[in-house]
Amino acid sequence: MRAFPPALHATTLERRPPGVDRDRVADLVRELLIAVGEDPDREGLRRTPERVADNWVELLSGTQQDAASALDAAIAVGDPADDVPAACGMVLLRDIRFRSVCEHHLLPFAGRAHIAYLPGDAVVGFGALVRVVDILAARAQVQERLGEEIASTIVGALAPRGVLVVLDAVHQCVTMRSSLQTRSSTLTIAARGGCAEPAARAEIISLIGGSLDAH
């Protein structure tokens, strides 16, 4: 398989924060338990600081990773060895499940991502798009920025003719903080190039269809 050399990754140049300090998180959770009037040494809470620390290591594992590296194995359009036609129509990957952490309240939000792009000179494996979502979601985030970062990463690595990213998610900072909003969800759209044109946007949204109604 002949790999298509990707464009310079803008995210490679960004300064990413260090990884999660597991031991420090555990110490802080112990202090939190004391601050809220609990006894961290009682039976049910004795191992809670370590469990919470392990959870945060997993939830924020993307802070040290370059999402664009997931797209390194792009394939040149028109490469006969990979059966990729010279002219590719729109590619749409629906229902990519993701979960992230709201940076405003440190509560989870989760849902589905839908990615459409119009290939330029390269395409990429579908699993690579999923990996981009996974890496960028595994950080302290806001949904609006997450969608924009996914779109920008795809543009920077593949130089497509257009990209559209739709995120549909449920935020615990909404559903857990108000008993009246337990079924509320948030929809965001990030668009680039040809996919930002009204007709193209409408077509993509219609193709996503009922996925936007399911959680």
Side-chain angles (χ1 to χ4, degrees):
M1 180 177 73
R2 179 163 64 91
F4 183 85
L8 177 64
H9 299 152
T11 53
T12 302
L13 305 178
E14 70 179 339
R15 187 176 181 180
R16 290 182 295 280
V20 179
D21 186 334
R22 181 187 180 278
D23 292 339
R24 187 176 182 185
V25 172
D27 289 341
L28 291 170
V29 172
R30 180 180 174 84
E31 290 299 314
L32 175 63
L33 290 171
I34 295 171
V36 298
E38 272 288 359
D39 175 10
D41 292 319
R42 72 174 173 84
E43 181 62 30
L45 292 176
R46 195 169 297 157
R47 295 188 58 201
T48 295
E50 287 73 24
R51 293 189 189 101
V52 174
D54 288 339
N55 186 54
W56 281 106
V57 169
E58 179 181 348
L59 286 174
L60 302 181
S61 61
T63 56
Q64 286 188 300
Q65 300 182 60
D66 176 17
S69 66
L71 303 176
D72 279 344
I75 304 164
V77 169
D79 187 346
D82 291 294
D83 296 322
V84 179
C88 287
M90 182 181 66
V91 177
L92 172 59
L93 184 59
R94 303 186 299 181
D95 295 323
I96 304 168
R97 291 185 177 273
F98 74 92
R99 57 102 179 96
S100 190
V101 177
C102 168
E103 66 182 34
H104 295 153
H105 300 95
L106 295 184
L107 287 172
F109 65 95
R112 291 179 171 88
H114 313 279
I115 299 174
Y117 74 102
L118 291 166
D121 295 326
V123 293
V124 72
F126 304 132
L129 297 175
V130 174
R131 185 64 181 145
V132 169
V133 175
D134 287 344
I135 291 173
L136 292 174
R139 303 175 181 183
Q141 279 284 14
V142 294
Q143 182 174 330
E144 299 91 334
R145 184 175 69 228
L146 175 58
E148 295 293 339
E149 287 180 350
I150 294 169
S152 293
T153 299
I154 295 171
V155 168
L158 300 181
R161 290 172 287 143
V163 174
L164 190 138
V165 178
V166 178
L167 303 182
D168 188 12
V170 175
H171 292 246
Q172 288 192 13
C173 59
V174 175
T175 61
M176 292 184 65
R177 297 174 70 228
S178 173
S179 60
L180 300 178
Q181 304 300 328
T182 56
R183 296 181 62 84
S184 174
S185 68
T186 301
L187 186 72
T188 57
I189 300 174
R192 304 284 191 278
C195 290
E197 298 296 327
R201 282 173 61 119
E203 179 185 8
I204 294 167
I205 296 299
S206 69
L207 289 171
I208 294 172
S211 294
L212 295 177
D213 299 322
H215 291 287

